[in-house]
Amino acid sequence: MSDGSTRGSGTNHRRSTVNRLSAENVTLAYDQRVIAEQLSVEIPDNSFTVIVGPNACGKSTLLRALSRMLKPNEGRVLLDGQVIQSLPAKKVARTLGLLPQSSIAPDGITVGDLVGRGRYPHQGLLRQWSAEDERVVQESMARTGVAELAERYVDELSGGQRQRVWIAMALAQQTPLLLLDEPTTFLDIQHQIDVLDLCADLHEEHGRTLVAVLHDLNHAARYATHLIALRGGKVIAQGAPNDIVTAGLVEEVFGLRCQVIDDPETGTPLVVPAARTARTRHTAQKVAATGAS
Amino acid sequence: MKTNRAVRTPGGLSVRLDVRAFAVTVLLLAVALTASVVLIGTGDFPIPAADVIRTLLGEGDAGQEFIVNELRLPRVLVGLLVGASLGLGGALFQAISRNPLGSPDVLGLGQGATAGALTVIVLFSGSANEVALGALAGGLVTGFAIYVLAWKRGVHGYRLVLVGIGVSAIVTAVNGYLLTKSDIVDAARAVVWMTGSLDGRDWDQVWPLLALCAVLLPLVLANSRGLKMMEMGDDVSYALGVRVERVRLVLMLSAVLLTASATAAAGPVSFVALTAPQLARRLTRSPGPNLVASLCMGAALLVSADWVSQRAFGADQLPVGVVTGVLGGVYLLWLLVTERRAGRI
């Protein structure tokens, strides 16, 4: 905290090095089941941060805590220097958007109407549908390539189109921070890349900060500017993919033997799992070693 | 087929109007009012609609004035208010549980109010007003029990419906027990009450209902935008800045109060709360809870059913609850069949 003193006696000055969104020593649990203890994470401003880790490592839970869906049992989540739960709900919703893993499209709703619901935090009892709302909705639909679907019903769209519509809704919220929980799940490879390209565009465009949970390590390494690797509720490594993704890290986080080579397309790390024979030999050695000791 | 019109004033006020939903609501209101006028004119002493309207405006002759204002108007007003409360309460419950079966009939609120009324009739031989109070208390207690039992980090749709069905079964058993304990006079009175009827309702029933609606309707409408967001799931609504738990608590309490007071005034008139929101939704073809349209639909349904019961079954009237029960039962079957075809059940 040495730099705090150099700032003088300013009472509510935030240090410019502090990022807008962070979790400090949070303990996250569902009822009695503890998912993570004393976890601290900083989301670098203007980054495309991707959280990776094996199933049940707490990545979605962390995202829920960052988006104030889950209140930490201990510790705190800070947004712009304030405990996120203490801020007015609509104010948070104008700063931080979330695309949850599962969302329900109401029966018989059109694409335009659904995207329009993203304007809720900007509206009030008397100001229910301003010209600005209309403009932002059009822009969000154009941005995600669903403008021509505006009059269609959401139920009749394909999975890839539907995901774009939900992203458009989150965009209409106009938040500088956008959190996405596994946005590519249930999509085929072409639409996965499509959605990730869109995310990369959104990130580059306005310096928007994006945080996504992704399953696919190679997608994460290709698109992220900042990677957070979780295992058992602990951060094992974080940093730029080129700096941190190594065979050793993948084995430590996922328990998978692999090679890491340069992606021939982008030069980012590419994880190639070791052949089955190599892995079984390895396991056999491990078993023999533990048996001998 | 763009049906949404934005209405804006220079002062910065703006609303979005769904033209079709608005037209449907106005139409339903007109139907409810027309049915009311016709209903007022119906009875042992028929009065033409024109005379009814003239009398309502204060220009009728003394005889008609007595029949209209003292005998028939309060009964029709109770019908309108009960129908409106049930329609609105049903729409709220169905929206909160995200399930068309999550309506007060199925959740056991009607049975709960019945248990309260039966307790007063059988154990205390109470007056009509005491019976109404008993029904109100029974409904509130049941609503509270359902909420507490279904509570687990927020009340969720299926959980609410399942708990409600369980509570409903228990309360029905209690009602059966109370009926077997009662003597024949009380039992007859209880059965009439349980069918739901508007017979003999007067101004004493109108005022409390009207006051309650006047308080609850603005409260409900102020929270309705949040409720609309909650259709998309709790996570999305939180993300959009809806205070989900607060909205749900306020609206559930309002819905319980509306349903319980309607039941206290007219008995458990069955199926209006279940069918009105579904019919309204099919007419407006608009997503969202369709609260106002459901309210008008409930009022129109109940008054029309009352007219049918008086007209078709003669002056010695069949209680309105029988008609709504028959209509509602047919509707429920149709709903189940179409939902099954659509692969949703």
Side-chain angles (χ1 to χ4, degrees):
Chain A
M1 284 296 199
S2 56
D3 58 343
S5 55
T6 61
R7 287 232 148 221
S9 56
T11 43
N12 272 329
H13 277 300
R14 280 192 303 118
R15 289 169 296 153
S16 57
T17 52
V18 169
N19 291 301
R20 300 192 70 174
L21 183 63
S22 61
E24 280 184 359
N25 300 318
V26 289
T27 296
L28 306 173
Y30 293 116
D31 291 334
Q32 301 304 315
R33 201 159 54 90
V34 176
I35 309 289
E37 270 179 303
Q38 297 288 311
L39 180 63
S40 291
V41 168
E42 288 257 343
I43 306 299
D45 286 349
N46 311 323
S47 67
F48 185 170
T49 296
V50 174
I51 307 173
V52 293
N55 289 337
C57 71
K59 42 188 199 302
S60 287
T61 312
L62 173 61
L63 202 74
R64 290 181 70 81
L66 288 173
S67 58
R68 61 132 165 49
M69 304 281 142
L70 181 68
K71 196 170 185 258
N73 291 18
E74 283 170 43
R76 54 196 194 155
V77 172
L78 297 179
L79 177 67
D80 292 333
Q82 290 184 287
V83 177
I84 197 164
Q85 269 82 16
S86 72
L87 294 165
K90 276 195 175 179
K91 192 177 171 209
V92 175
R94 288 193 294 264
T95 313
L96 182 149
L98 171 80
L99 187 66
Q101 223 175 92
S102 59
S103 352
I104 310 154
D107 278 347
I109 194 169
T110 60
V111 170
D113 276 348
L114 187 70
V115 176
R117 291 190 175 189
R119 296 299 296 162
Y120 179 80
H122 299 271
Q123 298 165 334
L125 208 54
L126 300 179
R127 189 185 161 287
Q128 298 195 355
W129 192 249
S130 67
E132 168 78 358
D133 293 333
E134 189 102 46
R135 188 187 63 74
V136 173
V137 167
Q138 292 303 332
E139 199 180 282
S140 306
M141 289 196 296
R143 196 62 213 77
T144 49
V146 295
E148 62 277 15
L149 304 176
E151 302 288 317
R152 296 267 302 276
Y153 291 109
V154 177
D155 327 329
E156 45 187 50
L157 303 182
S158 72
Q161 287 173 323
R162 212 173 297 160
Q163 191 62 303
R164 280 174 165 274
V165 171
W166 283 108
I167 293 176
M169 193 200 81
L171 273 190
Q173 222 174 314
Q174 284 189 304
T175 57
L177 288 131
L178 181 56
L179 276 51
L180 306 114
D181 195 356
E182 302 199 13
T184 56
T185 319
F186 308 122
L187 299 181
D188 59 33
I189 181 81
Q190 177 214 340
H191 289 105
Q192 289 182 22
I193 296 297
D194 190 55
V195 164
L196 288 169
D197 280 348
L198 177 59
C199 291
D201 287 348
L202 298 176
H203 163 242
E204 279 159 17
E205 215 161 60
H206 294 114
R208 198 179 268 115
T209 308
L210 252 65
V211 186
V213 167
L214 290 182
H215 256 304
D216 190 314
L217 195 51
N218 288 329
H219 287 167
R222 185 182 266 206
Y223 285 92
T225 62
H226 185 80
L227 201 63
I228 298 175
L230 283 186
R231 182 189 174 92
K234 291 194 166 48
V235 176
I236 305 295
Q238 53 181 323
N242 276 324
D243 299 339
I244 65 163
V245 178
T246 60
L249 180 76
V250 176
E251 175 137 25
E252 189 181 352
V253 173
F254 290 93
L256 175 76
R257 282 230 301 157
C258 67
Q259 284 188 51
V260 174
I261 59 173
D262 282 351
D263 187 324
E265 287 284 328
T266 56
T268 50
L270 185 67
V271 175
V272 182
R276 188 166 65 94
T277 46
R279 276 184 289 121
T280 41
R281 205 180 315 129
H282 178 69
T283 322
Q285 279 168 3
K286 255 209 275 195
V287 171
T290 36
S293 62
Chain B
M1 57 163 261
K2 193 153 177 65
T3 52
N4 285 322
R5 293 267 184 288
V7 181
R8 301 193 180 100
T9 67
L13 296 178
S14 60
V15 289
R16 201 183 199 190
L17 200 62
D18 184 331
V19 177
R20 186 185 170 103
F22 185 73
V24 166
T25 306
V26 170
L27 203 73
L28 286 174
L29 198 61
V31 170
L33 293 179
T34 312
S36 303
V37 168
V38 174
L39 184 57
I40 291 176
T42 308
D44 292 339
F45 187 84
I47 306 173
D51 285 354
V52 171
I53 294 172
R54 204 172 303 128
T55 314
L56 287 176
L57 295 174
E59 290 163 14
D61 64 52
Q64 286 181 345
E65 202 150 283
F66 175 75
I67 294 175
V68 170
N69 289 344
E70 293 306 314
L71 298 182
R72 294 184 187 166
L73 181 60
R75 176 194 164 119
V76 170
L77 283 178
V78 169
L80 282 172
L81 288 167
V82 164
S85 303
L86 289 176
L88 183 58
L92 285 172
F93 265 112
Q94 293 181 15
I96 289 169
S97 64
R98 298 189 195 106
N99 191 329
L101 289 178
S103 61
D105 312 73
V106 180
L107 294 184
L109 282 176
Q111 283 87 338
T114 307
L118 284 188
T119 308
V120 174
I121 292 174
V122 174
L123 299 184
F124 304 106
S125 298
S127 70
N129 283 339
E130 286 161 357
V131 172
L133 277 181
L136 191 63
L140 288 178
V141 168
T142 313
F144 182 72
I146 294 171
Y147 192 71
V148 168
L149 289 173
W151 182 280
K152 194 191 178 196
R153 272 189 279 118
V155 178
H156 290 281
Y158 265 108
R159 207 179 152 80
L160 186 69
V161 174
L162 289 177
V163 167
I165 289 174
V167 168
S168 161
I170 295 169
V171 179
T172 305
V174 171
N175 290 346
Y177 172 75
L178 284 172
L179 271 183
T180 55
K181 286 272 288 178
S182 61
D183 67 50
I184 189 71
V185 178
D186 285 343
R189 198 176 152 209
V191 168
V192 169
W193 190 89
M194 282 167 67
T195 325
S197 164
L198 293 172
D199 271 350
R201 298 298 182 268
D202 60 25
W203 290 102
D204 289 347
Q205 270 94 35
V206 175
W207 299 123
L209 271 179
L210 196 62
L212 198 70
C213 286
V215 173
L216 290 180
L217 191 59
L219 186 69
V220 166
L221 291 181
N223 281 288
S224 67
R225 294 181 58 250
L227 181 66
K228 197 168 156 187
M229 299 300 135
M230 282 158 62
E231 278 186 313
M232 297 181 286
D234 288 359
D235 283 357
V236 175
S237 358
Y238 271 121
L240 289 173
V242 179
R243 278 178 288 181
V244 175
E245 281 316 322
R246 210 191 66 158
V247 171
R248 187 154 36 208
L249 188 66
V250 168
L251 291 182
M252 260 194 83
L253 189 65
S254 311
V256 169
L257 273 171
L258 284 167
T259 315
S261 59
T263 311
V269 180
S270 52
F271 281 115
V272 172
L274 177 70
T275 48
Q278 293 297 321
L279 291 174
R281 169 184 285 254
R282 275 161 182 76
L283 288 179
T284 62
R285 290 197 206 141
S286 144
N290 284 306
L291 294 180
V292 181
S294 304
L295 179 146
C296 295
M297 177 58 97
L301 264 184
L302 196 79
V303 176
S304 311
D306 197 30
W307 180 74
V308 169
S309 75
Q310 291 200 26
R311 190 80 199 176
F313 302 96
D316 208 5
Q317 300 138 349
L318 186 75
V320 63
V322 175
V323 178
T324 59
V326 171
L327 290 177
V330 171
Y331 169 70
L332 182 65
L333 287 177
W334 176 74
L335 183 71
L336 289 174
V337 169
T338 51
E339 295 274 297
R340 195 186 157 79
R341 280 209 197 109
R344 268 175 297 206
I345 295 182

